[in-house]
């Protein structure tokens, strides 16, 4: 986990993640702010990983670069997951698995019927 945190700090992903979570809460009482901060959310990098994992699944059997980039992205950003603030790591896992399926389809020469 320390390796992932160091990598995310090196690539500036921690600052980008904090930018997604910071917002102005003018006009809210202190109790409202505490309630909003207690609600668990989703990691934005997890959502991105899942989305590009779907792209890798769809186009990976033809273009092998999509699954490879997605797998690297999932490994680099998985360390940004914080159990106290975020709901679950399944978005990273789903994106990674979809990218693996796309990569294995490319290696086996299997192509989706809808794409070709």
């Amino acid at each position: 986990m320390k390796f992932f945190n160091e990598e995310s700090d090196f690539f500036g992903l921690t600052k980008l993640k904090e930018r997604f979570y910071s917002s102005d809460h003018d006009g809210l009482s202190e109790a409202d702010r505490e309630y909003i901060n207690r609600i668990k959310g989703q990691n934005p990098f997890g959502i991105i990983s899942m989305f590009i994992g779907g792209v890798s699944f769809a186009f990976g059997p033809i273009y092998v670069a999509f699954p490879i980039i997605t797998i690297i992205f999932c490994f680099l950003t998985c360390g940004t997951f914080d159990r106290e603030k975020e709901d679950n790591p399944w978005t990273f896992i789903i994106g990674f698995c979809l990218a693996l399926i796309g990569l294995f389809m490319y290696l086996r020469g299997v192509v989706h019927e809808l794409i070709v």
Side-chain angles (χ1 to χ4, degrees):
M1 184 62 96
K2 183 179 177 183
F3 172 74
F4 290 121
N5 289 334
E6 290 174 0
E7 289 298 318
S8 64
D9 288 340
F10 176 74
F11 288 110
L13 300 176
T14 306
K15 292 178 184 177
L16 184 64
K17 182 180 169 188
E18 290 173 359
R19 185 179 298 161
F20 280 120
Y21 284 115
S22 67
S23 61
D24 292 332
H25 296 295
D26 295 335
L28 294 177
S29 67
E30 188 63 34
D32 292 338
R33 285 188 198 130
E34 288 177 9
Y35 175 73
I36 289 172
N37 290 334
R38 281 187 306 199
I39 298 173
K40 291 187 174 187
Q42 289 294 326
N43 189 323
F45 294 119
I47 301 291
I48 294 169
S49 297
M50 189 170 64
F51 177 74
I52 63 174
V55 171
S56 296
F57 175 74
F59 299 109
I62 298 172
Y63 307 108
V64 73
F66 288 135
I68 293 171
I69 291 170
T70 304
I71 290 169
I72 292 170
F73 182 78
C74 288
F75 272 126
L76 291 177
T77 59
C78 187
T80 64
F81 177 71
D82 184 14
R83 291 191 189 275
E84 294 176 6
K85 293 181 182 178
E86 293 151 2
D87 220 2
N88 56 31
W90 280 100
T91 53
F92 291 105
I93 295 168
I94 291 171
F96 180 75
C97 290
L98 288 173
L100 277 179
I101 292 170
L103 182 64
F104 287 145
M105 289 178 73
Y106 176 81
L107 294 174
R108 300 287 288 173
V110 180
V111 182
H112 297 293
E113 293 294 326
L114 297 176
I115 295 176
V116 175

